[in-house]
Each structure stands twice: as structure tokens, then as C-alpha cells.
Amino acid sequence: MTIATQIIWLFVLAVPIACISWTVTHEEIFREPHEWCVRHSKNDRFILTRKFFYLFTCEYCFSHYVTIGFLIFTDYKLLLNDWRGYILAGFSLVFIANIYMSLFALLRQAIKKEKVEIEKIETETDNEKNINK
């Protein structure tokens, strides 16, 4: 695989890794399992079980495990064609996936801010209409 192809794979494979990691750790569809894992990560008696459950609450931590799955599934290696290529690919994919998740979080925050500002303007406009009546 050429270097250009490897780089394209790096940026493309990071998308589903980021998507899966974000969805499992943040979205409403996984709210109940997420809350259960948060509870266990804070309250379990043993440190190993607390750390195990924490892995499912942190998108950065969880992205490592999703990446390992994708590396096994795709046999993707970066720069080197042996076990070192897996190591480079793994950490590079986690890095790029977490950049994507950070950008997504900023985008969601900006959208939420816009919605709040719009609601505030609409409320003020409605109040002015009611006062003028």
C-alpha cells in the first residue's frame, strides 16, 4: 500500500471509530448503559472494576478499543508492514478520531448556543408583542 493510500485510510478509518466512540459514550440511545457504567466506575469496591467501567464512559479511552477492533477487522498498518505498523496505525487512528470528536463537540456546542440565542430572541419578541397589545 502506498503512503498516500495509507494516509487516506487513516483519515477515513478514523471517521467510523469517532462515530462509534462518540455514540456509545454520549448519545441518548446508550444513556442507560452509560449511566450504569458511570455508577460502577465511581462506586465499585475494586479499582480494577472501577477502571474497567470507566472505559465505557470516556470517548478517548473507548476509542482505543474501537480502534483495536478496526485494526483486526481491516488489517490496516501504517508505514511499516509488521507489528510496528499496527502500533503506529493504532495511535494515529486514535489521535485523528479524537480530533474529529473534538470538532464535533465544538460544532454541537455552537449549534446549541445558536438555538439558545434564537429562543431568547423569540421570547423577547413575544414579550414585546404581548406588552404592545
Side-chain angles (χ1 to χ4, degrees), residues 4 23-25 38-39 43 60 66 76 104 117:
T23 301
V24 169
T25 58
V38 168
R39 201 169 39 256
N43 301 324
Y60 175 75
V66 176
Y76 173 67
F104 183 67
E117 289 174 352

Side-chain angles (χ1 to χ4, degrees), residues 24-133:
V24 169
T25 58
H26 286 84
E27 294 303 325
E28 185 66 23
I29 192 162
F30 290 104
R31 183 174 52 87
E32 291 83 3
H34 177 77
E35 289 172 354
W36 186 76
C37 288
V38 168
R39 201 169 39 256
H40 282 281
S41 73
K42 292 180 180 180
N43 301 324
D44 268 18
R45 186 173 169 193
F46 301 106
I47 191 167
L48 287 177
T49 56
R50 286 195 308 266
K51 297 304 176 190
F52 173 78
F53 285 108
Y54 181 75
L55 297 175
F56 297 100
T57 65
C58 166
E59 73 270 5
Y60 175 75
C61 302
F62 192 65
S63 69
H64 285 79
Y65 293 97
V66 176
T67 297
I68 290 169
F70 270 84
L71 288 176
I72 291 168
F73 181 68
T74 62
D75 196 37
Y76 173 67
K77 298 176 196 105
L78 184 62
L79 300 178
L80 303 168
N81 208 18
D82 58 7
W83 64 270
R84 297 172 298 170
Y86 286 122
I87 303 294
L88 291 171
F91 286 111
S92 299
L93 284 167
V94 167
F95 181 78
I96 300 299
N98 279 280
I99 288 174
Y100 290 164
M101 286 186 282
S102 296
L103 292 172
F104 183 67
L106 288 172
L107 178 64
R108 285 184 60 153
Q109 186 178 29
I111 291 170
K112 189 172 185 177
K113 180 182 175 189
E114 289 278 329
K115 285 182 179 179
V116 168
E117 289 174 352
I118 290 169
E119 287 175 6
K120 181 180 176 187
I121 291 169
E122 287 175 347
T123 303
E124 289 173 356
T125 304
D126 289 344
N127 288 342
E128 286 177 12
K129 286 180 182 177
N130 289 335
I131 291 172
N132 292 335
K133 284 185 178 181

